[in-house]
Amino acid sequence: MKSVSNYQIIIIGFMLFAMFLGAGNVIFAPVLGQEAGTNTVIAMGGFLITGVGLVILAIIALTKGGGTVEKLASRVHPKFALVFSVLLFLALGPLYVIPRTTSVVYEIGIRQLIPQSTMHVFFLLGFSIIFIGLTIYLSWETSKFVDRLGKMITPIFGVLLVILVGKSIFTPMGSIYAPVTGAGYETSTAAFLKGFTQGYFTMDVLAAFVFGGIFIKSVDALGVKSAKEVSSVFIKAGVVTLIGLILLQVSMAWIGASSVDAIGYKQNGGELIALASKSLFGQVGLYLIGVVIFLTGITTNVACLAAVAEYFERIIPSISYKKWLILISAVSLVITNFGLNTILNMASPVLMLLYPIAIALIALVFLDKLFGGAQSVYIGTIVGVTFVAILDALKDANLATSTINDIFSFIPFFTNGAGWIITGIIGFIVGMFFKNKSQKNSDVEMEYNSTLSK
């Protein structure tokens, strides 16, 4: 193995951080801070598990699982791998990430600069056409644009974040209040589990399945070959990324928790962080946060659009990469103009379905040696997780919520959106039973054949 220097480790860590540093990463923790109030620390404990910690584990799992999400998911079944991958890439592209990112950039960088008006629907349309058009242009030819821009964004955003958070600490915007009634943060357990599910919305774990391949190639270029060695490099580089993402999310939660007196409660984090910046720095604050959010947003959009177009070209080669760019962008443009709140509400059920499955796949890869990679265990676990994840998705879409809760409330943590953990464990045990039974039958057959041969 070629030795990887500490400098190279740090650079890889910054690359990871830059890739996940999207505009969407600044809009969820602030709202959590406002709603959780005095329970923010507890809620952030759950949020950081799903929104930050699992990101690094996902990339390591990818290195162990074959380097692509399709290969990893194929351990369950090839058809499952196709369905899961398609849903994953649709969420990362036209159904969620691209519209969300475009809307966040508008909410933070443009909307707050325009006087209150009923014309915002037209401003959003015009901005989204230009922004998504720029995304197409930058994705048209393969280049190092995202990587180079990411290296510039990381220090710029870091400096801005230090200034923003430092100002909010030395001159707080206001007091931190009790949790908002009905928001789901009233008790310690509820706050932790609500934070756990809110971490889904960063999409970073799902993005890691897609972007992880880029980092695997970058490490491979350094002369690192075996899965064990690659995992070692990522664990070290992951510490850098982990610290950056934790500082980012905790800082955003603090700003949200301390902002109620200054700006009141806000429905979405885009408006919240923009108004908080204005409260702290005046009109200049809007310009500063607007520029950085624009840069992080365009980087996220280009990375996601290119990755999704490449994936669909791979599974449907009759449609070229550039045609996929246009098709995906057209769908993204339409969804963007529903507005940020609608986008978040529309995507929420999909994330409630995909995230538990992704977490289960990560766990299974790390436990693979325990059960010898038996397919029955993969299937049992995923079936158990998916069953409850579908129910959670239906509840999140406000479909038969009361009926579903009444019937399945006996499952521990079900009403908090974490019942899939229990059913996943049950599925794992059932899978182990079938594995052992199959192994026992195989041993009996071998013994019988051996007896006949004698």
Side-chain angles (χ1 to χ4, degrees):
M1 170 185 170
K2 182 181 177 181
S3 177
V4 179
S5 69
N6 290 334
Y7 173 76
Q8 290 172 318
I9 293 289
I10 293 172
I11 290 299
I12 294 172
F14 277 133
M15 284 179 61
L16 281 164
F17 181 67
M19 186 65 77
F20 291 108
L21 180 57
N25 264 310
V26 302
I27 68 172
F28 299 109
V31 175
L32 179 151
Q34 277 203 339
E35 294 183 346
T38 52
N39 279 341
T40 296
V41 173
I42 297 172
M44 282 303 293
F47 185 94
L48 291 175
I49 290 174
T50 51
V52 177
L54 287 175
V55 172
I56 307 303
L57 295 182
I59 296 176
I60 296 174
L62 204 65
T63 68
K64 293 175 176 290
T68 67
V69 65
E70 300 100 304
K71 289 181 181 179
L72 191 156
S74 290
R75 295 187 177 198
V76 181
H77 193 277
K79 290 183 178 179
F80 165 80
L82 178 62
V83 173
F84 179 74
S85 298
V86 168
L87 288 175
L88 172 63
F89 279 94
L90 285 175
L92 282 168
L95 297 187
Y96 183 50
V97 172
I98 294 176
R100 181 193 74 180
T101 301
T102 306
S103 296
V104 168
V105 175
Y106 174 77
E107 287 284 341
I108 295 178
I110 305 296
R111 185 184 178 97
Q112 304 307 320
L113 299 176
I114 302 171
Q116 291 299 318
S117 163
T118 57
M119 300 292 288
H120 277 299
V121 62
F122 298 105
F123 285 119
L124 174 59
L125 176 60
F127 172 80
S128 59
I129 290 173
I130 295 171
F131 193 76
I132 291 179
L134 179 61
T135 301
I136 296 173
Y137 172 74
L138 294 172
S139 306
W140 201 255
E141 298 291 345
T142 304
S143 69
K144 295 183 178 180
F145 171 81
V146 176
D147 179 48
R148 290 171 179 171
L149 189 56
K151 288 179 180 178
M152 291 191 300
I153 287 173
T154 303
I156 291 173
F157 188 85
V159 170
L160 178 65
L161 184 64
V162 169
I163 294 172
L164 184 66
V165 176
K167 184 75 162 58
S168 71
I169 292 174
F170 290 110
T171 58
M173 287 179 281
S175 303
I176 297 177
Y177 294 93
V180 174
T181 302
Y185 298 98
E186 293 85 347
T187 67
S188 296
T189 300
F192 180 83
L193 292 175
K194 182 66 180 288
F196 187 88
T197 56
Q198 288 300 296
Y200 296 175
F201 294 94
T202 65
M203 281 287 287
D204 282 349
V205 167
L206 301 183
F209 282 141
V210 176
F211 297 150
I214 298 172
F215 304 117
I216 291 172
K217 289 178 182 177
S218 68
V219 174
D220 183 69
L222 296 176
V224 181
K225 300 299 181 182
S226 74
K228 183 177 180 181
E229 292 168 342
V230 171
S231 295
S232 175
V233 171
F234 271 119
I235 289 171
K236 294 174 183 177
V239 172
V240 177
T241 306
L242 204 63
I243 292 172
L245 290 174
I246 289 173
L247 289 175
L248 169 66
Q249 299 296 0
V250 170
S251 299
M252 293 298 101
W254 157 254
I255 288 174
S258 61
S259 68
V260 177
D261 284 334
I263 64 174
Y265 290 99
K266 299 300 172 184
Q267 288 187 320
N268 71 68
E271 182 183 14
L272 193 163
I273 200 67
L275 292 177
S277 298
K278 184 177 181 180
S279 175
L280 290 167
F281 294 101
Q283 193 71 12
V284 174
L286 289 179
Y287 297 128
L288 289 174
I289 196 71
V291 169
V292 173
I293 291 302
F294 180 87
L295 293 175
T296 58
I298 199 67
T299 305
T300 299
N301 266 16
V302 171
C304 288
L305 180 58
V308 175
E310 286 173 353
Y311 171 75
F312 280 107
E313 182 190 31
R314 191 163 69 247
I315 64 172
I316 309 177
S318 59
I319 302 177
S320 69
Y321 168 78
K322 292 180 179 179
K323 289 180 180 178
W324 277 117
L325 286 181
I326 295 172
L327 180 61
I328 294 165
S329 297
V331 176
S332 301
L333 179 63
V334 172
I335 295 178
T336 296
N337 282 274
F338 284 105
L340 183 57
N341 289 336
T342 302
I343 292 168
L344 297 178
N345 290 332
M346 288 171 56
S348 183
V350 178
L351 299 183
M352 294 299 288
L353 171 65
L354 293 180
Y355 236 85
I357 295 173
I359 295 172
L361 284 173
I362 294 169
L364 287 169
V365 169
F366 281 97
L367 296 173
D368 189 85
K369 290 183 179 180
L370 178 65
F371 55 88
Q375 187 180 33
S376 62
V377 178
Y378 277 95
I379 292 174
T381 304
I382 295 301
V383 168
V385 168
T386 304
F387 172 72
V388 172
I390 291 173
L391 296 177
D392 285 336
L394 292 173
K395 288 196 303 176
D396 206 65
N398 294 317
L399 297 175
T401 302
S402 298
T403 303
I404 292 173
N405 278 332
D406 289 341
I407 296 175
F408 297 100
S409 60
F410 67 91
I411 301 174
F413 307 124
F414 182 78
T415 55
N416 298 109
W420 58 267
I421 297 175
I422 304 300
T423 54
I425 292 173
I426 293 172
F428 182 90
I429 294 171
V430 171
M432 286 291 287
F433 170 78
F434 279 101
K435 168 190 174 293
N436 293 333
K437 184 177 180 180
S438 176
Q439 182 64 47
K440 184 176 180 180
N441 290 339
S442 177
D443 291 342
V444 169
E445 184 178 349
M446 288 179 62
E447 184 177 349
Y448 176 73
N449 290 335
S450 176
T451 302
L452 289 179
S453 64
K454 292 179 181 179

PDB file of all heavy atoms in Angstrom, residues 66-86:
ATOM      1  N   GLY A  66     -18.976  -3.175  -2.403  1.00  0.00           N
ATOM      2  CA  GLY A  66     -18.753  -3.284  -3.839  1.00  0.00           C
ATOM      3  C   GLY A  66     -18.516  -1.975  -4.556  1.00  0.00           C
ATOM      4  O   GLY A  66     -18.230  -1.966  -5.753  1.00  0.00           O
ATOM      5  N   GLY A  67     -18.679  -0.837  -3.852  1.00  0.00           N
ATOM      6  CA  GLY A  67     -18.357   0.448  -4.462  1.00  0.00           C
ATOM      7  C   GLY A  67     -19.521   1.197  -5.063  1.00  0.00           C
ATOM      8  O   GLY A  67     -19.409   2.386  -5.359  1.00  0.00           O
ATOM      9  N   THR A  68     -20.674   0.528  -5.290  1.00  0.00           N
ATOM     10  CA  THR A  68     -21.860   1.208  -5.819  1.00  0.00           C
ATOM     11  C   THR A  68     -23.078   0.790  -5.006  1.00  0.00           C
ATOM     12  O   THR A  68     -23.108  -0.300  -4.424  1.00  0.00           O
ATOM     13  CB  THR A  68     -22.122   0.867  -7.298  1.00  0.00           C
ATOM     14  OG1 THR A  68     -22.495  -0.513  -7.408  1.00  0.00           O
ATOM     15  CG2 THR A  68     -20.891   1.144  -8.145  1.00  0.00           C
ATOM     16  N   VAL A  69     -24.081   1.652  -5.003  1.00  0.00           N
ATOM     17  CA  VAL A  69     -25.285   1.349  -4.237  1.00  0.00           C
ATOM     18  C   VAL A  69     -26.007   0.145  -4.828  1.00  0.00           C
ATOM     19  O   VAL A  69     -26.627  -0.645  -4.091  1.00  0.00           O
ATOM     20  CB  VAL A  69     -26.218   2.586  -4.189  1.00  0.00           C
ATOM     21  CG1 VAL A  69     -26.734   2.951  -5.575  1.00  0.00           C
ATOM     22  CG2 VAL A  69     -27.377   2.344  -3.235  1.00  0.00           C
ATOM     23  N   GLU A  70     -25.907  -0.037  -6.164  1.00  0.00           N
ATOM     24  CA  GLU A  70     -26.569  -1.188  -6.783  1.00  0.00           C
ATOM     25  C   GLU A  70     -25.980  -2.506  -6.269  1.00  0.00           C
ATOM     26  O   GLU A  70     -26.707  -3.447  -5.965  1.00  0.00           O
ATOM     27  CB  GLU A  70     -26.446  -1.130  -8.307  1.00  0.00           C
ATOM     28  CG  GLU A  70     -27.078   0.104  -8.929  1.00  0.00           C
ATOM     29  CD  GLU A  70     -26.068   1.167  -9.276  1.00  0.00           C
ATOM     30  OE1 GLU A  70     -25.322   1.590  -8.374  1.00  0.00           O
ATOM     31  OE2 GLU A  70     -26.019   1.577 -10.447  1.00  0.00           O
ATOM     32  N   LYS A  71     -24.640  -2.576  -6.202  1.00  0.00           N
ATOM     33  CA  LYS A  71     -23.991  -3.796  -5.729  1.00  0.00           C
ATOM     34  C   LYS A  71     -24.323  -4.060  -4.265  1.00  0.00           C
ATOM     35  O   LYS A  71     -24.551  -5.203  -3.862  1.00  0.00           O
ATOM     36  CB  LYS A  71     -22.472  -3.684  -5.907  1.00  0.00           C
ATOM     37  CG  LYS A  71     -22.023  -3.744  -7.363  1.00  0.00           C
ATOM     38  CD  LYS A  71     -20.515  -3.647  -7.463  1.00  0.00           C
ATOM     39  CE  LYS A  71     -20.050  -3.693  -8.913  1.00  0.00           C
ATOM     40  NZ  LYS A  71     -18.569  -3.565  -9.027  1.00  0.00           N
ATOM     41  N   LEU A  72     -24.336  -2.992  -3.476  1.00  0.00           N
ATOM     42  CA  LEU A  72     -24.640  -3.145  -2.052  1.00  0.00           C
ATOM     43  C   LEU A  72     -26.065  -3.669  -1.874  1.00  0.00           C
ATOM     44  O   LEU A  72     -26.300  -4.625  -1.133  1.00  0.00           O
ATOM     45  CB  LEU A  72     -24.458  -1.811  -1.341  1.00  0.00           C
ATOM     46  CG  LEU A  72     -24.463  -1.794   0.187  1.00  0.00           C
ATOM     47  CD1 LEU A  72     -23.703  -0.581   0.709  1.00  0.00           C
ATOM     48  CD2 LEU A  72     -25.879  -1.763   0.756  1.00  0.00           C
ATOM     49  N   ALA A  73     -27.033  -3.035  -2.557  1.00  0.00           N
ATOM     50  CA  ALA A  73     -28.435  -3.421  -2.415  1.00  0.00           C
ATOM     51  C   ALA A  73     -28.724  -4.779  -3.035  1.00  0.00           C
ATOM     52  O   ALA A  73     -29.693  -5.447  -2.653  1.00  0.00           O
ATOM     53  CB  ALA A  73     -29.337  -2.360  -3.045  1.00  0.00           C
ATOM     54  N   SER A  74     -27.887  -5.228  -3.976  1.00  0.00           N
ATOM     55  CA  SER A  74     -28.076  -6.541  -4.612  1.00  0.00           C
ATOM     56  C   SER A  74     -27.879  -7.682  -3.624  1.00  0.00           C
ATOM     57  O   SER A  74     -28.283  -8.822  -3.906  1.00  0.00           O
ATOM     58  CB  SER A  74     -27.107  -6.714  -5.784  1.00  0.00           C
ATOM     59  OG  SER A  74     -27.451  -5.866  -6.848  1.00  0.00           O
ATOM     60  N   ARG A  75     -27.280  -7.395  -2.483  1.00  0.00           N
ATOM     61  CA  ARG A  75     -27.134  -8.432  -1.458  1.00  0.00           C
ATOM     62  C   ARG A  75     -28.500  -8.877  -0.950  1.00  0.00           C
ATOM     63  O   ARG A  75     -28.641  -9.983  -0.427  1.00  0.00           O
ATOM     64  CB  ARG A  75     -26.287  -7.918  -0.295  1.00  0.00           C
ATOM     65  CG  ARG A  75     -24.840  -7.614  -0.679  1.00  0.00           C
ATOM     66  CD  ARG A  75     -24.005  -7.273   0.529  1.00  0.00           C
ATOM     67  NE  ARG A  75     -22.603  -7.052   0.184  1.00  0.00           N
ATOM     68  CZ  ARG A  75     -21.603  -7.081   1.047  1.00  0.00           C
ATOM     69  NH1 ARG A  75     -21.854  -7.317   2.337  1.00  0.00           N
ATOM     70  NH2 ARG A  75     -20.360  -6.872   0.661  1.00  0.00           N
ATOM     71  N   VAL A  76     -29.495  -7.991  -1.099  1.00  0.00           N
ATOM     72  CA  VAL A  76     -30.860  -8.373  -0.746  1.00  0.00           C
ATOM     73  C   VAL A  76     -31.469  -9.140  -1.924  1.00  0.00           C
ATOM     74  O   VAL A  76     -31.875 -10.285  -1.782  1.00  0.00           O
ATOM     75  CB  VAL A  76     -31.718  -7.126  -0.433  1.00  0.00           C
ATOM     76  CG1 VAL A  76     -33.143  -7.550  -0.041  1.00  0.00           C
ATOM     77  CG2 VAL A  76     -31.082  -6.301   0.680  1.00  0.00           C
ATOM     78  N   HIS A  77     -31.530  -8.482  -3.082  1.00  0.00           N
ATOM     79  CA  HIS A  77     -32.035  -9.108  -4.310  1.00  0.00           C
ATOM     80  C   HIS A  77     -31.823  -8.124  -5.454  1.00  0.00           C
ATOM     81  O   HIS A  77     -31.965  -6.906  -5.262  1.00  0.00           O
ATOM     82  CB  HIS A  77     -33.528  -9.451  -4.183  1.00  0.00           C
ATOM     83  CG  HIS A  77     -34.034 -10.362  -5.259  1.00  0.00           C
ATOM     84  ND1 HIS A  77     -34.420  -9.892  -6.500  1.00  0.00           N
ATOM     85  CD2 HIS A  77     -34.220 -11.707  -5.286  1.00  0.00           C
ATOM     86  CE1 HIS A  77     -34.820 -10.907  -7.247  1.00  0.00           C
ATOM     87  NE2 HIS A  77     -34.705 -12.012  -6.543  1.00  0.00           N
ATOM     88  N   PRO A  78     -31.505  -8.604  -6.662  1.00  0.00           N
ATOM     89  CA  PRO A  78     -31.282  -7.698  -7.798  1.00  0.00           C
ATOM     90  C   PRO A  78     -32.477  -6.786  -8.090  1.00  0.00           C
ATOM     91  O   PRO A  78     -32.301  -5.609  -8.425  1.00  0.00           O
ATOM     92  CB  PRO A  78     -31.013  -8.654  -8.965  1.00  0.00           C
ATOM     93  CG  PRO A  78     -30.428  -9.870  -8.308  1.00  0.00           C
ATOM     94  CD  PRO A  78     -31.157 -10.000  -7.006  1.00  0.00           C
ATOM     95  N   LYS A  79     -33.693  -7.315  -7.990  1.00  0.00           N
ATOM     96  CA  LYS A  79     -34.878  -6.487  -8.257  1.00  0.00           C
ATOM     97  C   LYS A  79     -35.047  -5.421  -7.180  1.00  0.00           C
ATOM     98  O   LYS A  79     -35.439  -4.284  -7.475  1.00  0.00           O
ATOM     99  CB  LYS A  79     -36.127  -7.363  -8.352  1.00  0.00           C
ATOM    100  CG  LYS A  79     -36.158  -8.245  -9.596  1.00  0.00           C
ATOM    101  CD  LYS A  79     -37.450  -9.036  -9.688  1.00  0.00           C
ATOM    102  CE  LYS A  79     -37.473  -9.884 -10.964  1.00  0.00           C
ATOM    103  NZ  LYS A  79     -38.711 -10.701 -11.078  1.00  0.00           N
ATOM    104  N   PHE A  80     -34.771  -5.771  -5.947  1.00  0.00           N
ATOM    105  CA  PHE A  80     -34.815  -4.782  -4.871  1.00  0.00           C
ATOM    106  C   PHE A  80     -33.782  -3.696  -5.129  1.00  0.00           C
ATOM    107  O   PHE A  80     -34.060  -2.506  -4.938  1.00  0.00           O
ATOM    108  CB  PHE A  80     -34.536  -5.446  -3.515  1.00  0.00           C
ATOM    109  CG  PHE A  80     -34.221  -4.465  -2.420  1.00  0.00           C
ATOM    110  CD1 PHE A  80     -35.238  -3.782  -1.770  1.00  0.00           C
ATOM    111  CD2 PHE A  80     -32.902  -4.204  -2.057  1.00  0.00           C
ATOM    112  CE1 PHE A  80     -34.951  -2.844  -0.769  1.00  0.00           C
ATOM    113  CE2 PHE A  80     -32.607  -3.284  -1.056  1.00  0.00           C
ATOM    114  CZ  PHE A  80     -33.636  -2.605  -0.418  1.00  0.00           C
ATOM    115  N   ALA A  81     -32.592  -4.096  -5.572  1.00  0.00           N
ATOM    116  CA  ALA A  81     -31.516  -3.128  -5.847  1.00  0.00           C
ATOM    117  C   ALA A  81     -31.951  -2.123  -6.897  1.00  0.00           C
ATOM    118  O   ALA A  81     -31.675  -0.922  -6.775  1.00  0.00           O
ATOM    119  CB  ALA A  81     -30.250  -3.860  -6.300  1.00  0.00           C
ATOM    120  N   LEU A  82     -32.652  -2.585  -7.935  1.00  0.00           N
ATOM    121  CA  LEU A  82     -33.103  -1.690  -8.996  1.00  0.00           C
ATOM    122  C   LEU A  82     -34.140  -0.698  -8.473  1.00  0.00           C
ATOM    123  O   LEU A  82     -34.019   0.509  -8.701  1.00  0.00           O
ATOM    124  CB  LEU A  82     -33.696  -2.503 -10.150  1.00  0.00           C
ATOM    125  CG  LEU A  82     -34.264  -1.673 -11.317  1.00  0.00           C
ATOM    126  CD1 LEU A  82     -33.168  -0.851 -11.972  1.00  0.00           C
ATOM    127  CD2 LEU A  82     -34.943  -2.591 -12.333  1.00  0.00           C
ATOM    128  N   VAL A  83     -35.134  -1.201  -7.757  1.00  0.00           N
ATOM    129  CA  VAL A  83     -36.200  -0.331  -7.239  1.00  0.00           C
ATOM    130  C   VAL A  83     -35.631   0.686  -6.242  1.00  0.00           C
ATOM    131  O   VAL A  83     -35.926   1.889  -6.320  1.00  0.00           O
ATOM    132  CB  VAL A  83     -37.314  -1.170  -6.567  1.00  0.00           C
ATOM    133  CG1 VAL A  83     -38.330  -0.250  -5.878  1.00  0.00           C
ATOM    134  CG2 VAL A  83     -38.013  -2.041  -7.596  1.00  0.00           C
ATOM    135  N   PHE A  84     -34.803   0.217  -5.317  1.00  0.00           N
ATOM    136  CA  PHE A  84     -34.224   1.106  -4.301  1.00  0.00           C
ATOM    137  C   PHE A  84     -33.341   2.165  -4.952  1.00  0.00           C
ATOM    138  O   PHE A  84     -33.410   3.354  -4.605  1.00  0.00           O
ATOM    139  CB  PHE A  84     -33.408   0.290  -3.297  1.00  0.00           C
ATOM    140  CG  PHE A  84     -32.753   1.127  -2.226  1.00  0.00           C
ATOM    141  CD1 PHE A  84     -33.503   1.669  -1.191  1.00  0.00           C
ATOM    142  CD2 PHE A  84     -31.385   1.370  -2.257  1.00  0.00           C
ATOM    143  CE1 PHE A  84     -32.910   2.444  -0.205  1.00  0.00           C
ATOM    144  CE2 PHE A  84     -30.773   2.145  -1.278  1.00  0.00           C
ATOM    145  CZ  PHE A  84     -31.542   2.676  -0.250  1.00  0.00           C
ATOM    146  N   SER A  85     -32.527   1.748  -5.917  1.00  0.00           N
ATOM    147  CA  SER A  85     -31.618   2.684  -6.577  1.00  0.00           C
ATOM    148  C   SER A  85     -32.378   3.741  -7.368  1.00  0.00           C
ATOM    149  O   SER A  85     -32.027   4.928  -7.336  1.00  0.00           O
ATOM    150  CB  SER A  85     -30.658   1.933  -7.504  1.00  0.00           C
ATOM    151  OG  SER A  85     -29.847   1.035  -6.779  1.00  0.00           O
ATOM    152  N   VAL A  86     -33.420   3.324  -8.082  1.00  0.00           N
ATOM    153  CA  VAL A  86     -34.219   4.283  -8.859  1.00  0.00           C
ATOM    154  C   VAL A  86     -34.872   5.307  -7.941  1.00  0.00           C
ATOM    155  O   VAL A  86     -34.830   6.520  -8.201  1.00  0.00           O
ATOM    156  CB  VAL A  86     -35.281   3.552  -9.706  1.00  0.00           C
ATOM    157  CG1 VAL A  86     -36.298   4.557 -10.273  1.00  0.00           C
ATOM    158  CG2 VAL A  86     -34.623   2.788 -10.842  1.00  0.00           C
TER     159      VAL A  86
END
